[in-house]
Amino acid sequence: MPLDTDTFDALLATIRRYVAERLRPLESQVAENDEVPPEIVQEMRDMGLFGLSIPEDYGGLGLDMTEEVRIALELGRTSPAFRSVFGTNVGIGSQGLVMAGSDAQKAEWLPRIATGEVITSFALTEPGAGSDSASVATRAVREPGSGPRTGNDIYRLSGTKRYITNADRASLFTVMARTGEAGAKGVSAFLVPADLPGVTIGRPETKMGQQGAHVCDVHFDNVPVPAANRLGAEGEGFRIAMQVLDRGRLHIAAVCTGIAERLVADSVAYALERKQFGKPIADFQLVQAMIADSKTDAMAARALVLETAALKDGGAPITLEAAAAKYFASEAVGRVADRAVQIFGGAGYIADYGIERLYRDVRLFRIYEGTSQIQQLVIARETLKRGG
Ligand code: COS
């Protein structure tokens, strides 16, 4: 259920102000310390950001997809590390549970996910399973009647997950593990609390950009997962993961678009102020060409994101459209960031101006939640299926 227009507009205005006045001034500090300050995390909890997409019955705001992407567009106007704090709760960490969870599973976890008391992570990728996610090697072996709750079955989960966003903060993982045959049909999804014995988290990786957002390995060593924690039936895990990613890709496309819009605004402000040959560089047509190309990229990305969100809200499948939105918007923000560095010239390469930081930050978008090449593959397959 979408919010009423006034309530939603007020929320959007609050977030816009929060991004501009509270988050943007902290960008370089967060990058330097590789940490979003705890008081910011608490403010995000208080604003309800962890529960944007969680149904109202479970304490969230229950936004529809159009509302969610409009908020993601605003949050894109600052370092992506801020969104990442609650991004997994809104998206890939919670949506398997929202889509495929039983009433009991939802009642146990969703209220605390909505408040941000519980941080969630999505554990699909492995050292040997990146783009080929149907090849996950993490195993879940069912043991009858040996569970911590006497008489209940458990699965013994063993394997390593890689580059897991928010793993060091998470208290709940959605883990895709093999329960059956090779390939997609042998994969099941599990809710795995981080405090079960045998779960260990690696140290946060050193990354090219997006400092403040952490990714770690997660190791599972014979972890006893109650059978009641399986999401859906055995063998449904891959489909659940793909549906979660369809939605996640659209959200990421919105974030990319927000950053592109911010970079256009920064480029314009700089071009108007910076003078060369006796006038603002904005007066030069070769600079104007870059501004025109970036503006067009940002506008096209926004249109694609909003149209895809409306389709989803109308109940249509969006596998193709979400892949196209993510593909276009992530590539577009890469081009826009590159032009922003060019318009800023020497200053674009200097850390104080923040443009080089965003240039590094946006590089990840063409890789995670499916590389551009995987999006191309999905778009082509779906287009061929539809006959055009
Ligand atoms: N929604 C629902 N079901 C889907 C689906 C989707 N978006 N995509 C695939 N499926 C189903 C298929 O219909 C198929 O089921 P049936 O055999 O019953 O028809 C099953 O899942 C297997 O699908 P497919 O044959 O397409 O699997 P592939 O191994 O060819 O993999 C790609 C497909 C490559 C698209 C998939 O592995 C992928 O998206 N990889 C990238 C993963 C990724 O984004 N990782 C990022 C890290 S997670 S943040």
Side-chain angles (χ1 to χ4, degrees):
M1 270 286 286
L3 294 182
D4 73 71
T5 311
D6 288 349
T7 311
F8 180 73
D9 287 348
L11 176 67
L12 203 62
T14 303
I15 290 172
R16 187 174 300 147
R17 225 176 18 252
Y18 186 67
V19 166
E21 292 169 14
R22 183 77 172 124
L23 301 184
R24 281 187 61 155
L26 293 173
E27 288 175 356
S28 61
Q29 180 196 312
V30 166
E32 214 163 290
N33 300 343
D34 195 16
E35 194 69 58
V36 174
E39 62 271 20
I40 295 292
V41 178
Q42 190 52 48
E43 286 165 15
M44 289 173 168
R45 285 196 181 101
D46 296 342
M47 288 167 77
L49 295 181
F50 286 84
L52 294 175
S53 62
I54 309 297
E56 281 175 292
D57 287 351
Y58 295 101
L61 292 179
L63 300 189
D64 67 16
M65 202 65 215
T66 301
E67 291 170 334
E68 183 181 323
V69 297
R70 287 183 67 196
I71 285 183
L73 285 162
E74 294 300 329
L75 288 158
R77 290 178 157 263
T78 186
S79 296
F82 290 115
R83 185 213 62 95
S84 191
V85 170
F86 58 87
T88 48
N89 275 36
V90 170
I92 55 177
S94 71
Q95 292 303 306
L97 177 52
V98 171
M99 289 171 189
S102 66
D103 289 348
Q105 289 169 337
K106 289 180 183 174
E108 183 177 358
W109 292 105
L110 286 180
R112 287 179 291 151
I113 293 174
T115 58
E117 182 191 336
V118 164
I119 305 282
T120 57
S121 278
F122 180 73
L124 174 64
T125 299
E126 299 181 356
S131 289
D132 183 9
S133 45
S135 72
V136 291
T138 294
R139 294 204 69 86
V141 179
R142 191 162 179 143
E143 288 183 7
S146 55
R149 300 173 205 167
T150 316
N152 287 354
D153 286 8
I154 61 160
Y155 287 85
R156 288 280 173 188
L157 203 89
S158 291
T160 295
K161 295 292 179 178
R162 179 139 295 173
Y163 308 144
I164 304 305
T165 301
N166 280 340
D168 56 337
R169 302 182 178 113
S171 33
L172 181 68
F173 294 95
T174 304
V175 181
M176 265 49 70
R178 187 158 305 285
T179 48
E181 64 196 84
K185 289 192 167 48
V187 178
S188 302
F190 296 92
L191 296 171
V192 182
D195 59 3
L196 285 183
V199 179
T200 48
I201 313 296
R203 58 165 186 76
E205 302 286 353
T206 304
K207 312 195 301 315
M208 176 195 272
Q210 299 212 9
Q211 276 71 30
H214 295 174
V215 297
C216 315
D217 275 1
V218 184
H219 307 283
F220 301 97
D221 181 13
N222 257 327
V223 178
V225 180
N229 285 25
R230 198 187 59 231
L231 281 179
E234 271 199 13
E236 282 184 7
F238 186 79
R239 191 180 48 80
I240 293 170
M242 290 301 115
Q243 285 172 337
V244 166
L245 284 172
D246 281 348
R247 198 182 172 291
R249 287 169 182 167
L250 178 54
H251 180 107
I252 295 297
V255 175
C256 291
T257 306
I259 302 181
E261 291 175 351
R262 184 261 178 85
L263 283 164
V264 171
D266 286 359
S267 299
V268 166
Y270 188 79
L272 289 169
E273 174 219 302
R274 170 77 177 159
K275 290 199 173 71
Q276 286 295 281
F277 305 101
K279 51 187 180 177
I281 61 169
D283 286 358
F284 295 104
Q285 288 183 333
L286 292 179
V287 173
Q288 290 178 6
M290 288 190 277
I291 289 171
D293 286 352
S294 289
K295 181 71 177 170
T296 306
D297 270 336
M299 289 172 69
R302 174 176 274 259
L304 201 46
V305 163
L306 290 173
E307 185 174 297
T308 305
L311 268 178
K312 173 146 179 48
D313 289 334
I318 55 156
T319 301
L320 189 163
E321 290 79 3
K326 203 267 186 181
Y327 176 44
F328 184 82
S330 63
E331 294 283 338
V333 73
R335 294 190 292 269
V336 171
D338 188 66
R339 290 185 204 110
V341 172
Q342 200 65 19
I343 291 168
F344 273 71
Y349 204 70
I350 302 297
D352 286 353
Y353 293 82
I355 297 297
E356 64 82 32
R357 190 187 61 243
L358 286 169
Y359 176 84
R360 286 182 289 108
D361 286 349
V362 302
R363 187 64 184 81
L364 182 59
F365 293 124
R366 288 155 61 190
I367 298 170
Y368 78 173
E369 297 207 20
T371 60
S372 286
Q373 289 66 36
I374 288 293
Q375 311 309 335
Q376 286 176 299
L377 198 141
V378 171
I379 297 161
R381 272 188 192 182
E382 293 294 317
T383 305
L384 288 165
K385 254 194 246 169
R386 290 184 195 180

